[in-house]
Amino acid sequence: MKNAIILLGVFIAVFFDSQAQQSKLWYQQAAEIWEEALPLGNGRLGAMVFGIPGNERIQLNEDSLWPGGPKDWGLAEGRPEDLAQIRAFLIAGEHQKADSLLVLKFSRKGITRSHQTLGDLFLDFEWKEVSDIYRELDLERAVAFSRFESEGYEVSQEVFSSSPDQALIIRLITNHPKGFRGKIRLNRPEDEGVPTAETKAIHNQLLEMNGEVTQRGGQIDSKPAPIYHGVRFRSILQVDADIPLESEEEKLLVNGASEITLKLVTATSYYHQNHEQVAQSQLDRIAFKSFGELLFAHEKEYKAWFDRMDLQLGENKQDEIPTDRRIQLVKEGKTDLWLEKLLFDYGRYLLISSSRPGTNPANLQGLWNQHIAAPWNADYHLNINLQMNYWPAEVTGLSELHMPLFDFTDELIENGKEVARVNFGMQGSVLPHTTDLWKIPFLQAATAYWGSWMGSGAWLARHYWEHYLFTGDEVFLRERALPAIEQLCLFYADWLMKDPRDGSWVSAPSTSPENQFINPKGIKSASTMGAAMDQQLIEDIFTIYLKIKDVNPTKSELGNRIEKLMPSLRSGVILGKDGRILEWDREYEESEKGHRHLSHLYAFHPANQITPSQTPPLMEAVKKTLDFRLANGGAGTGWSRAWLINFSARLLDGEATHDHIQKLISQSLYPNLFDAHPPFQIDGNFGFTAGVAEMLIQSHEEGIIRVLPALPKAWKTGKVHGIKARGDLR
């Protein structure tokens, strides 16, 4: 990268005043629904702040609140002879039979075991004649602020989730002569009518909530499987006020305070064997700290992450339009550069808030979930969603926040060794398309097209490689990346079979995530031999492994084996008669021409097997593939549209990229800027930020850095600093 060619795009830079564009979400009304509340998080402990005068709800989350445990369920019953039969069906063209046997033998089918809410903190106070409501989320400070007037007197609230002090902190202030009058309470939703936590007042300044996560509506193998055990937790709320408080069973009573500070800590049995004592010690450390001390420590730590880079778009003027109104104006056809910059920063903010060293990685909803049974379990989907969560980590200078993904994947690889050995009789490790806190390694889904995919490991392997490319950390490469990638390559080397049709090495059974084709018999099917994405992924991980061996040269039987396999590995980039890249092994009729997944373009993005400099003829094939999907109604979901932003940026087409930005904002955002699948999935937020970064800098091509490669005409003025390129360049 030292000898990189720098390709400059056309860009008009302006020097702004010392006052840069502020990054704030703000509104002139309280949140009425959860998707209007404002998220806070320190990586582990999160909150959704509603800002409701008199009946404030602060919904709480902790990233390890899952039911069950790692040993609840065994593997699927499939064995190598079952795999051989599936492959025989595929060779005979009996795709539907292959689908059925694949699910029957190798999947645990429908599973319900969900990440869950910690509960709610309610602040019930008496206020009359409420007016002038205002609330905001300051992304530069990670503080949610709200205020209103009651009978002409001001009432304000500040909330933040502190990483250095591992606590949620709230300050309430009013100049109303009667002060705050009402109650403070903690509770947690029931699990199908059964209490899941017990709250009690320890004394007139402390509330305590103890509980255990259960899932009475749990299922495995698409059958009911109630889960009566799970992660245990203890939450303690300390309330400091300028007058004495009173306690009453499950709540604290306030009568006339003008200033109140609340300090909430939570510890779980997932992180600590002695979680009850840990919760107490967390509170003891901050019990006598002032709000100012806690806020200072929080802001200093948070800004060390957020201030690593900055993007400014358009004119620098005062923000006079509420965020929800900005979204509405884009729906009406307006271009809003301020909102685009805000949404870019929001992705960085959400990653900082939901993924810190030592925490779990961001899940389908990052950290924020109000349910006992969340959509898709708010788990970890590995067929794009988890990966997309971390696309912006390296390029926006947040490499350390990538580490929870590697910690998680390392453990998943260990569990996947048993699946590879027992179910398939193979070496190495195989990863499923979906997993959860307990790193379950088996396939799950009642249909082959939705969940019987074998490419997860190879896709996650690229993240290890990207971390090395961006940081140049050879210790990480040698001690973390190489062992993980080696185990995954061992499996894929065993997994490949010779295609009797042409003698090439192919993945079988092979599916394209969540999609199906119509086979020559007219039957809708999922499984085949050598679907494009599998072949692209296997080529990618094999290539990465050989490059790592070049950096750390050692004798390797696996390396020699891969070198022998590669020349006969079926290409994952084969063009159809119309010039599009085929999604499967043959030019089958497509059952859903506008499908949301664009899996057969993995080689183009996020991989780098197709680039303008190395494979220019294939750029047109990529464009035709995307145009066909869009012409047939593709990109109907937020994360899919975010992927299109990344694709269009890599096509160096600023206008198309910006058109997808406009569509994402107008079609796939909730009022609080959460990505709407719908329902809420956070991957679209992270994918958007990564896509904007691709518009600003690209370094995936060998020896080339493209600066400002995909600027649209709408971006006439602006500046960026702190963005990062591979080679540890910024």
Side-chain angles (χ1 to χ4, degrees):
M1 197 61 74
K2 292 180 180 177
N3 298 318
I5 302 169
I6 303 206
L7 302 179
L8 293 173
V10 178
F11 190 59
I12 304 173
V14 298
F15 292 97
F16 291 120
D17 299 333
S18 58
Q19 178 67 30
Q21 293 172 338
Q22 292 182 319
S23 284
K24 289 184 179 181
L25 288 68
W26 67 279
Y27 308 84
Q28 293 176 311
Q29 68 283 332
E32 294 184 0
I33 60 174
W34 189 85
E35 291 81 6
E36 294 175 354
L38 300 175
L40 297 167
N42 64 11
R44 180 187 66 87
L45 182 62
M48 295 289 288
V49 183
F50 283 66
I52 304 172
N55 299 105
E56 173 64 306
R57 177 190 177 194
I58 299 177
Q59 187 265 320
L60 307 170
N61 278 113
E62 204 277 348
D63 74 355
S64 67
L65 287 192
W66 289 75
K71 304 297 183 182
D72 286 353
W73 301 317
L75 302 181
E77 64 183 44
R79 293 297 181 266
E81 54 269 25
D82 300 309
L83 176 62
Q85 181 60 67
I86 291 169
R87 289 177 166 179
F89 282 144
L90 291 173
I91 291 170
E94 299 286 353
H95 300 91
Q96 191 176 39
K97 290 182 179 179
D99 287 352
S100 297
L101 190 58
L102 178 56
V103 171
L104 178 67
K105 292 294 185 178
F106 292 103
S107 175
R108 296 305 309 268
K109 305 167 191 69
I111 290 176
T112 300
R113 185 166 69 171
S114 176
H115 176 253
Q116 297 185 9
T117 178
L118 173 59
D120 295 278
L121 169 62
F122 290 103
L123 308 176
D124 302 324
F125 299 120
E126 299 175 18
W127 300 113
K128 298 178 181 178
E129 299 177 21
V130 171
S131 62
D132 296 328
I133 297 173
Y134 172 88
R135 63 190 178 101
E136 70 175 29
L137 174 61
D138 188 339
L139 304 184
E140 296 170 18
R141 300 168 58 234
V143 175
F145 173 79
S146 61
R147 68 169 182 265
F148 61 90
E149 289 191 359
S150 172
E151 300 176 293
Y153 297 97
E154 185 168 293
V155 182
S156 67
Q157 172 181 280
E158 291 176 89
V159 191
F160 61 90
S161 185
S162 168
S163 179
D165 289 303
Q166 286 298 299
L168 185 72
I169 309 298
I170 305 161
R171 180 171 66 173
L172 309 171
I173 297 177
T174 185
N175 61 0
H176 194 292
K178 293 184 179 180
F180 291 94
R181 292 157 293 142
K183 57 192 176 185
I184 298 170
R185 54 195 177 94
L186 277 173
N187 68 20
R188 188 169 191 269
E190 294 181 339
D191 180 10
E192 297 196 348
V194 179
T196 58
E198 179 185 8
T199 302
K200 61 181 180 181
I202 300 175
H203 58 65
N204 62 357
Q205 278 186 274
L206 290 181
L207 284 179
E208 175 187 66
M209 183 169 69
N210 287 284
E212 182 173 4
V213 182
T214 59
Q215 192 98 60
R216 283 169 169 77
Q219 67 169 351
I220 182 76
D221 292 324
S222 300
K223 299 175 183 177
I227 303 169
Y228 301 114
H229 68 286
V231 172
R232 300 182 305 281
F233 59 91
R234 184 188 187 198
S235 299
I236 311 174
L237 176 68
Q238 176 177 310
V239 182
D240 301 322
D242 54 1
I243 65 167
L245 307 180
E246 296 179 6
S247 62
E248 183 181 289
E249 296 182 351
E250 300 176 357
K251 51 186 172 289
L252 300 180
L253 305 179
V254 185
N255 189 15
S258 59
E259 182 170 347
I260 304 172
T261 300
L262 301 92
K263 304 169 183 176
L264 177 78
V265 298
T266 295
T268 74
S269 60
Y270 177 81
Y271 285 111
H272 309 284
Q273 287 185 335
N274 57 338
H275 72 281
E276 293 179 339
Q277 294 95 315
V278 169
Q280 187 62 58
S281 65
Q282 288 176 340
L283 184 62
D284 290 344
R285 285 196 297 270
I286 64 172
F288 297 103
K289 289 185 179 181
S290 69
F291 179 85
E293 289 176 293
L294 295 166
L295 179 61
F296 178 82
H298 158 72
E299 287 190 0
K300 181 180 179 181
E301 191 273 344
Y302 170 79
K303 289 175 74 66
W305 299 104
F306 189 81
D307 290 351
R308 289 184 179 183
M309 73 157 296
D310 178 56
L311 171 66
Q312 307 291 319
L313 291 176
E315 298 178 20
N316 181 34
K317 56 184 179 180
Q318 188 172 352
D319 182 6
E320 297 178 343
I321 305 174
T323 304
D324 51 342
R325 179 60 182 154
R326 286 186 177 277
I327 297 172
Q328 182 57 40
L329 289 172
V330 175
K331 291 178 185 289
E332 296 170 6
K334 178 181 172 61
T335 295
D336 190 334
L337 303 190
W338 193 305
L339 184 57
E340 293 171 27
K341 170 265 194 312
L342 184 65
L343 193 56
F344 174 82
D345 283 346
Y346 195 52
R348 295 193 300 126
Y349 167 82
L350 292 173
L351 187 60
I352 298 167
S353 301
S354 63
S355 182
R356 294 291 188 91
T359 72
N360 289 302
N363 64 35
L364 269 179
Q365 295 189 188
L367 172 63
W368 301 278
N369 164 33
Q370 65 174 331
H371 302 284
I372 295 293
W376 303 288
N377 293 321
D379 59 17
Y380 298 100
H381 276 47
L382 279 57
N383 63 5
I384 188 172
N385 313 99
L386 178 60
Q387 290 91 337
M388 185 180 281
N389 285 0
Y390 286 89
W391 286 357
E394 302 292 340
V395 69
T396 64
L398 299 172
S399 293
E400 300 95 320
L401 304 189
H402 219 155
M403 298 312 293
L405 180 66
F406 303 131
D407 295 340
F408 187 85
T409 305
D410 284 349
E411 292 186 41
L412 190 56
I413 287 171
E414 284 302 308
N415 293 345
K417 291 178 181 178
E418 186 181 11
V419 178
R421 184 182 70 255
V422 174
N423 292 130
F424 300 118
M426 298 178 185
Q427 304 176 86
S429 177
V430 57
L431 306 190
H433 98 291
T434 300
T435 189
D436 63 17
L437 179 77
W438 308 114
K439 292 95 179 172
I440 53 175
F442 46 76
L443 297 178
Q444 55 171 290
T447 58
Y449 76 91
W450 191 76
S452 297
W453 178 65
M454 303 295 176
S456 303
W459 196 334
L460 286 168
R462 170 153 283 277
H463 280 256
Y464 288 86
W465 181 238
E466 292 286 357
H467 182 73
Y468 165 70
L469 292 178
F470 273 95
T471 65
D473 187 344
E474 293 197 8
V475 175
F476 173 86
L477 183 72
R478 183 173 59 254
E479 297 181 1
R480 296 291 300 274
L482 180 57
I485 293 172
E486 195 160 51
Q487 289 302 313
L488 298 167
C489 282
L490 279 167
F491 172 76
Y492 287 118
D494 280 358
W495 175 255
L496 292 171
M497 65 168 279
K498 275 274 182 96
D499 188 337
R501 297 171 295 185
D502 58 15
S504 64
W505 290 105
V506 294
S507 170
S510 179
T511 65
S512 192
E514 304 187 27
N515 205 357
Q516 299 178 91
F517 59 92
I518 299 173
N519 75 2
K521 297 180 180 180
I523 299 172
K524 192 178 292 186
S525 309
S527 303
T528 187
M529 295 185 291
M533 190 184 209
D534 276 6
Q535 299 303 122
Q536 293 172 17
L537 282 161
I538 292 171
E539 179 181 349
D540 194 40
I541 191 174
F542 282 176
T543 301
I544 289 170
Y545 180 76
L546 294 177
K547 286 182 177 179
I548 294 176
K549 300 304 290 183
D550 288 341
V551 176
N552 290 274
T554 58
K555 289 185 178 180
S556 167
E557 288 185 16
L558 177 60
N560 293 335
R561 187 179 175 196
I562 288 173
E563 287 176 344
K564 292 177 181 178
L565 286 169
M566 288 285 275
S568 298
L569 183 68
R570 174 185 166 84
S571 173
V573 182
I574 296 176
L575 305 188
K577 294 175 184 177
D578 60 1
R580 290 186 292 130
I581 296 173
L582 296 184
E583 187 163 358
W584 292 277
D585 60 315
R586 296 293 185 265
E587 201 161 357
Y588 302 119
E589 182 182 348
E590 297 170 64
S591 62
E592 192 176 341
K593 295 178 173 62
H595 198 272
R596 61 195 174 278
H597 281 258
L598 294 148
S599 305
H600 48 315
L601 294 182
Y602 170 86
F604 178 59
H605 180 281
N608 63 345
Q609 298 161 19
I610 300 173
T611 65
S613 57
Q614 296 298 315
T615 58
L618 291 178
M619 298 293 285
E620 182 61 26
V622 169
K623 189 175 186 304
K624 286 182 177 180
T625 304
L626 292 172
D627 288 346
F628 182 86
R629 271 291 209 266
L630 288 168
N632 287 280
T637 63
W639 64 261
S640 183
R641 183 70 65 184
W643 202 358
L644 277 161
I645 293 171
N646 286 268
F647 283 136
S648 298
R650 284 211 176 170
L651 283 170
L652 310 178
D653 188 340
E655 297 313 306
T657 308
H658 195 257
D659 181 60
H660 289 307
I661 286 175
Q662 290 285 97
K663 286 185 170 66
L664 184 143
I665 292 173
S666 62
Q667 299 173 11
S668 300
L669 283 187
Y670 289 113
N672 65 359
L673 300 190
F674 271 170
D675 171 70
H677 178 69
F680 165 49
Q681 275 188 206
I682 203 168
D683 41 18
N685 290 107
F686 295 132
F688 175 88
T689 296
V692 171
E694 287 283 337
M695 298 168 74
L696 299 169
I697 192 165
Q698 294 178 22
S699 58
H700 60 285
E701 297 170 82
E702 192 70 33
I704 295 174
I705 298 176
R706 297 181 186 269
V707 179
L708 311 176
L711 289 189
K713 294 177 182 177
W715 290 10
K716 295 179 180 179
T717 59
K719 65 178 180 178
V720 61
H721 74 80
I723 201 164
K724 197 171 181 182
R726 292 165 182 84
D728 198 21
L729 301 173
R730 66 171 70 221

